[in-house]
Amino acid sequence: MKSSILSLALFGMGVIASPIASVNRPDFEKLTLMTRELSERQSLSDTENQLGECAPVTIIFARGTIELGNVGELAGPPFFNALDVLIGAENVGVQGVPYAADILGYLEGGDPAGSTTFAELTTQAASQCPDTQIVLSGYSQGAQLVHNGVAQISAETASRVVAVVLFGDPDDNQPMPNISEDIVDTFCFALDLICEDTIVVDTYHLSYSIDAIPAAEFVAGLVHI
């Protein structure tokens, strides 16, 4: 075990935190303007099941520990919505990964059943939607699922992946089989302790909505619409 039962309880309650005096990103003002536009267009849903739509771009997303729905709220929806603005909502389909998202799964290196589900959904996207461009993404434990899931898919399926975007990745800097580093973008604050593979959740780890725009811009630069 990575720490004591008390630490696990604090992790689950979200009370282990160090305040951020100022979280600055070059795109913060741009994010504010885009958020205003998005607020007029759609809500930030924590559940997405759009795999069957076979959109030009399909995002398979795994939420973080103890988040609700199948995509959560902290990283996924801001990222999806920013991409909607950049390439058009009609071109983006999002499929969340249903899994327990509990603390035990994180301590195991990513929920095993959830990792298999991630791989299965990725394979389904490739076979069911032959023309879709697949984007894999996850936040926190969800990033662990991306690593684990990619290890379970075939090289043929991996060849259909055009981008991988990870937020607060406990497995930061670990390569993925059959996935070029050129199509992987990882967002980790320098002081985010989860990115150091600890169980300490600080305020930095809860702030990845700030990276929604650069994450979306990365994907938009790799897909063809």
Side-chain angles (χ1 to χ4, degrees), residues 10-41:
L10 293 174
F11 175 92
M13 295 169 62
V15 299
I16 297 181
S18 60
I20 299 177
S22 176
V23 177
N24 295 313
R25 280 285 194 270
D27 290 322
F28 187 79
E29 183 176 352
K30 184 178 178 182
L31 175 62
T32 302
L33 294 174
M34 287 181 67
T35 301
R36 291 174 184 170
E37 179 180 347
L38 288 167
S39 67
E40 299 173 357
R41 297 177 53 186

Side-chain angles (χ1 to χ4, degrees), residues 12 24 27 32 51 58 60 63 66 72 76 103-104 108 123-125 156 161-162 167 181 188 191 193 195 214 222:
N24 295 313
D27 290 322
T32 302
L51 180 57
T58 297
I60 309 296
R63 73 196 190 279
I66 71 173
I103 297 169
L104 180 59
E108 291 183 286
T123 300
Q124 182 182 344
E156 180 180 2
V161 176
V162 299
F167 302 93
E181 293 181 0
C188 267
L191 297 179
L193 297 176
C195 292
L222 292 171

Side-chain angles (χ1 to χ4, degrees), residues 154-192:
S154 68
E156 180 180 2
T157 296
S159 70
R160 294 285 308 283
V161 176
V162 299
V164 178
V165 177
L166 305 171
F167 302 93
D169 181 12
D171 298 330
D172 187 22
N173 294 321
Q174 294 189 21
M176 287 175 273
N178 300 311
I179 298 292
S180 169
E181 293 181 0
D182 294 338
I183 66 168
V184 179
D185 204 358
T186 301
F187 295 89
C188 267
F189 286 105
L191 297 179
D192 181 354

Side-chain angles (χ1 to χ4, degrees), residues 7-221:
S7 293
L8 291 178
L10 293 174
F11 175 92
M13 295 169 62
V15 299
I16 297 181
S18 60
I20 299 177
S22 176
V23 177
N24 295 313
R25 280 285 194 270
D27 290 322
F28 187 79
E29 183 176 352
K30 184 178 178 182
L31 175 62
T32 302
L33 294 174
M34 287 181 67
T35 301
R36 291 174 184 170
E37 179 180 347
L38 288 167
S39 67
E40 299 173 357
R41 297 177 53 186
Q42 57 191 17
S43 62
L44 298 177
S45 173
D46 64 12
T47 302
E48 299 288 355
N49 293 294
Q50 300 171 353
L51 180 57
E53 296 180 7
C54 288
V57 176
T58 297
I59 302 173
I60 309 296
F61 185 87
R63 73 196 190 279
T65 303
I66 71 173
E67 284 199 283
L68 300 177
N70 64 10
V71 296
E73 298 179 350
L74 294 176
F79 165 48
F80 314 147
N81 292 341
L83 189 60
D84 285 351
V85 170
L86 291 176
I87 68 173
E90 70 278 7
N91 293 314
V92 181
V94 179
Q95 178 60 55
V97 178
Y99 79 107
D102 57 20
I103 297 169
L104 180 59
Y106 170 75
L107 295 176
E108 291 183 286
D111 182 85
S115 299
T116 298
T117 299
F118 192 101
E120 291 172 345
L121 288 171
T122 304
T123 300
Q124 182 182 344
S127 60
Q128 180 176 311
C129 307
D131 297 323
T132 197
Q133 300 166 84
I134 301 173
V135 176
L136 306 181
S137 186
Y139 161 58
S140 193
Q141 184 179 170
Q144 292 178 315
L145 263 61
V146 177
H147 285 274
N148 298 343
V150 165
Q152 297 179 37
I153 63 177
S154 68
E156 180 180 2
T157 296
S159 70
R160 294 285 308 283
V161 176
V162 299
V164 178
V165 177
L166 305 171
F167 302 93
D169 181 12
D171 298 330
D172 187 22
N173 294 321
Q174 294 189 21
M176 287 175 273
N178 300 311
I179 298 292
S180 169
E181 293 181 0
D182 294 338
I183 66 168
V184 179
D185 204 358
T186 301
F187 295 89
C188 267
F189 286 105
L191 297 179
D192 181 354
L193 297 176
I194 290 294
C195 292
E196 301 297 326
D197 196 25
T198 75
I199 68 163
V200 180
V201 178
D202 57 22
T203 313
Y204 293 95
H205 192 65
L206 306 177
S207 302
Y208 286 104
S209 62
I210 291 173
D211 289 312
I213 289 173
E217 289 176 333
F218 176 74
V219 173

